[in-house]
């Protein structure tokens, strides 16, 4: 069907972009939009691709088109807000967008979570905390919101409060928590680091994160950086750095990870 062909073109565009074939990628995405101009999924794929490439403004435009096509899909608003927050000065626009979304759709845990992110980006920690707490109450359970609240607690120096939220988040993610559970373990490592925990405890938390999500950029770097700080790097540490360099090319430590992974 045309919608299936269109989606295939959009996915192919993302693959071509990852291969550095920008012109071919744009052509594939244009073909996708022509085949199915009413597909919000196609616009969302374009938005995700542009955000990965650092084109926040282009990503915002694509997600705005997606929202225009499916104005009641909560996940599209969350994606749009992530793109807006990647723009300089995008926090206010994100807040306004979410307030309109809540007025249209009603309260929703995911909307409360990203509104908390927007308030935090705007520098209003109290309103951010209120939204995170609302998201937790609306979700019941909603471990993503607990991790966000823990990050805010840590930033405000409330380490005990952060650790309480993270323990609960890990329990709520459960065995199927996957990437979310990994984020909780990484955040717990950062919270423990801030109160002077041992390198052994920190590495154990990063390794738990990698058990939940082997592609966690923060855990790949964190576990290997602890080895480097201790004066050595195991073969497993080099493999983690090589994986980081491949999977996280826009990560803050990508160039250093590639160099260290190849050093002997």
């Amino acid at each position: 069907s045309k919608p299936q062909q269109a989606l295939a073109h959009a996915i192919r565009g993302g693959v071509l972009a990852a291969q550095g074939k920008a012109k071919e990628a744009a052509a594939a995405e244009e073909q996708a939009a022509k085949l199915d101009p009413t597909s919000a999924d196609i616009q969302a794929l374009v938005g995700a691709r542009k955000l990965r490439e650092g084109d926040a403004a282009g990503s915002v435009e694509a997600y705005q088109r997606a929202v225009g096509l499916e104005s009641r899909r909560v996940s599209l608003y969350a994606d749009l807000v992530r793109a807006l927050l990647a723009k300089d000065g995008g926090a206010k626009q994100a807040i306004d967008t979410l307030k309109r979304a809540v007025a249209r759709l009603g309260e929703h845990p995911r909307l409360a979570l990203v509104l908390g992110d927007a308030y935090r980006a705007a520098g209003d920690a109290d309103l951010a905390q209120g939204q995170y707490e609302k998201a937790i109450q609306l979700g019941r359970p909603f471990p993503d919101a607990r991790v966000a609240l823990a990050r805010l607690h840590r930033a405000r120096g409330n380490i005990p409060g952060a650790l309480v939220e993270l323990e609960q988040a890990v329990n709520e993610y459960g065995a199927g928590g996957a990437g979310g559970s990994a984020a909780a373990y990484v955040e717990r490592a950062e919270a423990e680091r801030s109160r002077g925990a041992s390198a052994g405890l920190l590495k154990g938390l990063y390794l738990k994160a990698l058990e939940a999500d082997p592609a966690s950029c923060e855990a790949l770097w964190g576990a290997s950086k602890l080895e480097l700080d201790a004066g050595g790097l195991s073969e497993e540490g080099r493999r983690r750095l090589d994986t980081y360099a491949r999977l996280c090319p826009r990560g803050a430590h990508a160039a250093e990870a590639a160099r260290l992974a190849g050093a002997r």
Side-chain angles (χ1 to χ4, degrees):
S1 68
K2 278 191 175 182
Q4 289 172 324
Q5 291 178 45
L7 194 59
H9 279 293
I11 293 170
R12 181 170 176 268
V15 173
L16 289 167
Q19 295 172 344
K21 300 175 181 178
K23 186 176 179 179
E24 294 90 334
E29 290 171 348
E30 184 179 352
Q31 181 67 14
K34 285 180 180 178
L35 283 169
D36 191 358
T38 64
S39 171
D41 290 325
I42 288 171
Q43 295 302 326
L45 285 169
V46 173
R49 190 263 299 168
K50 290 190 174 184
L51 191 59
R52 286 194 302 271
E53 295 176 349
D55 180 7
S59 179
V60 166
E61 291 175 1
Y63 281 126
Q64 285 173 332
R65 290 193 294 270
V67 167
L69 291 165
E70 285 195 36
S71 62
R72 301 194 66 81
R73 197 197 299 185
V74 167
S75 62
L76 293 177
Y77 287 99
D79 292 336
L80 172 56
V81 166
R82 279 192 287 272
L84 285 167
L85 294 182
K87 286 178 56 180
D88 289 337
K92 183 180 185 303
Q93 189 179 353
I95 291 168
D96 293 341
T97 296
L98 287 166
K99 285 181 176 179
R100 290 194 297 271
V102 171
R104 178 183 295 124
L105 305 178
E107 297 286 2
H108 188 284
R110 180 65 59 180
L111 294 177
L113 170 58
V114 292
L115 183 53
D117 292 341
Y119 277 129
R120 185 175 179 191
D124 197 326
D126 289 337
L127 286 179
Q129 181 168 334
Q131 288 298 316
Y132 292 147
E133 291 170 348
K134 178 187 285 189
I136 291 168
Q137 290 303 310
L138 290 171
R140 291 189 181 183
F142 193 12
D144 289 2
R146 290 193 182 278
V147 174
L149 180 57
R151 289 193 185 104
L152 181 62
H153 280 327
R154 178 166 65 87
R156 304 180 87 178
N158 181 8
I159 304 305
L163 291 171
V164 167
E165 295 298 336
L166 292 167
E167 182 177 0
Q168 185 65 29
V170 169
N171 290 336
E172 290 178 359
Y173 281 123
S181 178
Y185 281 121
V186 167
E187 181 57 31
R188 185 177 168 191
E190 295 307 315
E192 293 285 7
R193 185 197 303 276
S194 68
R195 67 175 187 175
S198 69
L201 174 60
L202 299 180
K203 186 174 180 181
L205 290 169
Y206 285 129
L207 293 180
K208 283 185 177 180
L210 289 171
E211 288 176 12
D213 179 9
S216 168
C217 296
E218 295 85 355
L220 287 166
W221 173 257
S224 296
K225 183 64 164 59
L226 287 168
E227 291 185 12
L228 286 166
D229 291 343
L233 186 63
S234 67
E235 284 304 310
E236 182 59 31
R238 292 184 194 281
R239 283 192 289 271
R240 285 193 296 266
L241 290 174
D242 180 67
T243 302
Y244 178 97
R246 288 186 290 105
L247 298 183
C248 318
R250 292 186 174 274
H253 312 287
E256 185 178 1
R259 177 181 60 81
L260 291 168
R264 286 291 189 275

